[in-house]
Amino acid sequence: MSRPPRILNPWHWDVPLAALTGLIAVLMLNANLSLFLGLNRLHLWTGDLFWAYVTMLGDTLIAFIVCLPLVRRWPQVVWAGLLAGLLATLFVHGLKPLFALERPASALALDQFHIIGRTYLVLGFPSGHSATAFTLVGVMVLHLDESWRRWLGIPLIGLAALVGLSRIVVGAHWPLDVLGGVVGGWLAAVFGTFWARRWPWGATPMGRRSLTVLLIGCGLSGLLYYKTGYPQTDLGRQILALFCLGWTGYQLCVEHSIGRAGSR
């Protein structure tokens, strides 16, 4: 991975501009309800379990756990992700009470659509899971070398978009909520990346150690007791946390062995 390129790179702005254009189009066409009802039926093709696992990937703690295997080799990426996550949190939790919009379960009869997992009623805009997914993917994409970005950029964005779509399929958010989360999440990734370049504390030895301890704590939380609101994914959450903890433990053991060999 490398430092992100110039500020006018289209990878920085095309995603939020596309999402903002989609948001305006949905508003102008008054298509929020019809889109929601159509997309919410996608569970009929796949079953509930698939979408529960996809939406789990947008959980903030799960995103931290996913970053754990990266922290030893690419601490600058994890540091940028942490700063971007702070910006995304301010965006999401600043706008939610400001707009105070109802979620589908408050606006529609429950027999009109399908709910997977926990039922949410209020504070719908913007979607926090969508913002988290696009923040994490945005930071990763912006740190990839140009050659790798050509191969991985679109698939990673597609994965984040699938997480956003899952918020509609599980009945938690309107399409407008998701599009708002995409805008905020990607812009948080852009500005978090710029911020991390100007303040590279996370890439220092102390920062790297601190990030490792923080993310190990997240991994242990995810393994032992954390609940995502989708109980059908509990086993998968624990397996993911155990894998990330184990991989990081292996990395630390290798580093320790190399350090001992180098000191002889």
Side-chain angles (χ1 to χ4, degrees):
M1 294 190 176
S2 68
R3 298 176 69 179
R6 62 188 185 280
I7 192 171
L8 296 180
N9 191 300
W11 282 100
H12 292 154
W13 314 115
D14 284 359
V15 171
L17 284 174
L20 183 61
T21 300
L23 189 152
I24 294 172
V26 171
L27 282 173
M28 293 182 63
L29 296 173
N30 196 25
N32 199 35
L33 175 59
S34 58
L35 269 177
F36 171 79
L37 292 175
L39 295 173
N40 181 253
R41 297 189 183 97
L42 289 175
H43 73 95
L44 297 173
W45 296 88
T46 60
D48 290 0
L49 186 62
F50 171 78
W51 293 106
Y53 270 109
V54 172
T55 212
M56 180 189 76
L57 297 176
D59 186 282
T60 300
L61 185 75
I62 300 301
F64 280 138
I65 294 172
V66 169
C67 289
L68 182 52
L70 305 178
V71 71
R72 302 308 300 171
R73 185 168 183 182
W74 295 296
Q76 72 277 14
V77 178
V78 177
W79 176 235
L82 188 64
L83 295 178
L86 175 61
L87 296 177
T89 299
L90 293 174
F91 172 81
V92 170
H93 293 285
L95 291 186
K96 277 183 181 290
L98 180 64
F99 286 98
L101 296 179
E102 293 181 334
R103 297 189 188 231
S106 291
L108 302 174
L110 295 182
D111 59 358
Q112 287 185 266
F113 68 105
H114 184 65
I115 294 178
I116 302 171
R118 185 184 302 167
T119 299
Y120 297 91
L121 300 175
V122 294
L123 301 180
F125 182 90
S127 165
H129 280 64
S130 303
T132 296
F134 275 87
T135 299
L136 177 60
V137 164
V139 167
M140 290 181 173
V141 168
L142 295 178
H143 279 81
L144 288 173
D145 290 326
E146 191 63 37
S147 58
W148 281 101
R149 191 180 295 156
R150 285 197 295 268
W151 289 98
L152 295 178
I154 297 303
L156 285 172
I157 293 171
L159 177 60
L162 193 64
V163 173
L165 176 61
S166 75
R167 301 309 290 160
I168 301 171
V169 181
V170 302
H173 282 287
W174 304 103
L176 286 177
D177 301 341
V178 172
L179 291 168
V182 174
V183 174
W186 195 274
L187 289 179
V190 171
F191 291 112
T193 298
F194 292 155
W195 187 5
R197 292 178 67 190
R198 295 183 65 86
W199 181 33
W201 176 82
T204 65
M206 176 60 73
R208 191 166 172 246
R209 286 193 295 269
S210 300
L211 290 174
T212 300
V213 171
L214 171 65
L215 295 182
I216 287 175
C218 292
L220 290 173
S221 176
L223 176 65
L224 298 176
Y225 65 88
Y226 182 73
K227 303 296 182 183
T228 64
Y230 301 89
Q232 59 270 62
T233 67
D234 283 349
L235 178 60
R237 165 183 52 81
Q238 292 173 325
I239 292 173
L240 175 65
L242 187 61
F243 171 80
C244 292
L245 286 167
W247 184 255
T248 303
Y250 168 75
Q251 290 176 314
L252 290 170
C253 288
V254 170
E255 290 176 13
H256 180 67
S257 298
I258 294 173
R260 289 185 61 184
S263 64
R264 292 176 181 173

